[in-house]
Amino acid sequence: MISMASALTAVSLWLSSDRTRTHLGRGFEQQGMDLGVLFTELPLVFLAGAALPVLAHAAVAGLLPDRPDRRDRRDGGGSEGDR
């Protein structure tokens, strides 16, 4: 859900940029219009926006120290009350 919201936000920011508006028809009588950006840049912007929350979560999870209770469960030890 967060990735979809991030992807849609990235696309809306991309559409509102001056560079994109120039490609999508700011010229006189559609001169200078380049619809190729819809096939090249738009999918990349969408995928980058969708991947951003996943990459941010992985980066934060990698920076945080491992909690002792998770370490015990992962090693199969459990807590003292479970034995």
Side-chain angles (χ1 to χ4, degrees), residues 1-27:
M1 192 71 158
I2 293 173
S3 291
M4 185 56 87
S6 177
L8 293 177
T9 302
V11 169
S12 67
L13 288 174
W14 176 76
L15 285 172
S16 66
S17 72
D18 287 334
R19 182 178 177 276
T20 304
R21 281 193 220 137
T22 301
H23 286 295
L24 294 180
R26 209 186 237 184

Side-chain angles (χ1 to χ4, degrees), residues 72-83:
D72 289 342
R73 268 188 267 146
R74 184 181 64 223
D75 294 338
S79 64
E80 291 297 321
D82 292 341
R83 293 181 186 175

Side-chain angles (χ1 to χ4, degrees), residues 4-79:
M4 185 56 87
S6 177
L8 293 177
T9 302
V11 169
S12 67
L13 288 174
W14 176 76
L15 285 172
S16 66
S17 72
D18 287 334
R19 182 178 177 276
T20 304
R21 281 193 220 137
T22 301
H23 286 295
L24 294 180
R26 209 186 237 184
F28 178 70
E29 291 183 355
Q30 306 302 327
Q31 293 177 358
M33 192 168 182
D34 179 20
L35 294 179
V37 297
L38 294 176
F39 304 113
T40 56
E41 290 182 11
L42 182 59
L44 295 175
V45 168
F46 184 83
L47 290 175
L52 186 64
V54 175
L55 294 175
H57 179 270
V60 169
L63 293 175
L64 293 176
D66 200 16
R67 293 187 349 205
D69 60 333
R70 287 188 187 170
R71 195 175 318 127
D72 289 342
R73 268 188 267 146
R74 184 181 64 223
D75 294 338
S79 64

